[in-house]
Amino acid sequence: MKHKINNIFTSLMGIYDILVGKEVFKLNGIVLLSVSTFIILMGASYLIYKKYPYRQQLTYIPSGTTLLTSFIMIFISFDLNRFDGLTMSAASVAIGLASLAAFMCLPLIDYYFRYRQH
């Protein structure tokens, strides 16, 4: 009985080593990708907002194109092999969530700049 449990434990540790060794399960890279994408999108939207202050629709262009790109990346990831497709789909989900967060924060920034107290 002890030998069976040891074999099961050894096989589970081997699977764990395979999965952790792959890039898809390292959350530091995915979080860094998501945060950096959010910061870049917010910076681009802020620059567009400062250049065209009364055309708020233009500020949604960077986030919209990034969201469409993440959808395309998900569909492309279906055509790749196991771990490459999983890595690409995880990256596209991170980018898509960052673009959705930028979509949600843009009206708050517009409200802050237009109606703030001086």
Side-chain angles (χ1 to χ4, degrees), residues 82-113:
R82 286 189 286 175
F83 290 114
D84 292 337
L86 201 56
T87 303
M88 185 179 237
S89 64
S92 65
V93 166
I95 291 171
L97 287 177
S99 65
L100 284 176
F103 263 128
M104 289 187 272
C105 290
L106 285 174
L108 297 174
I109 290 173
D110 181 52
Y111 178 78
Y112 174 75
F113 282 128

Side-chain angles (χ1 to χ4, degrees), residues 2 6-7 19 24 27 29 40 46 60-61 66-67 71 84 89-90 97 106 109-111 117:
K2 191 174 188 180
N6 194 15
N7 284 342
L19 291 178
V24 95
L27 289 178
I40 290 170
Y46 177 75
Y60 293 106
I61 289 174
T66 307
L67 188 63
F71 286 147
D84 292 337
S89 64
L97 287 177
L106 285 174
I109 290 173
D110 181 52
Y111 178 78
Q117 303 264 331

Side-chain angles (χ1 to χ4, degrees), residues 4-62:
K4 263 187 180 178
I5 293 173
N6 194 15
N7 284 342
I8 292 171
F9 181 72
T10 306
S11 64
L12 287 176
M13 287 305 294
I15 292 170
Y16 176 78
D17 288 339
I18 290 170
L19 291 178
V20 171
K22 294 297 175 183
E23 184 66 30
V24 95
F25 291 102
K26 292 184 179 178
L27 289 178
N28 293 337
I30 291 184
V31 170
L32 178 68
L33 178 67
S34 182
V35 169
S36 62
T37 302
F38 178 76
I39 291 171
I40 290 170
L41 288 174
M42 292 305 292
S45 297
Y46 177 75
L47 290 175
I48 291 172
Y49 179 79
K50 283 298 183 182
K51 181 128 175 113
Y52 305 105
Y54 295 107
R55 298 188 63 193
Q56 186 183 4
Q57 297 85 5
L58 294 178
T59 60
Y60 293 106
I61 289 174

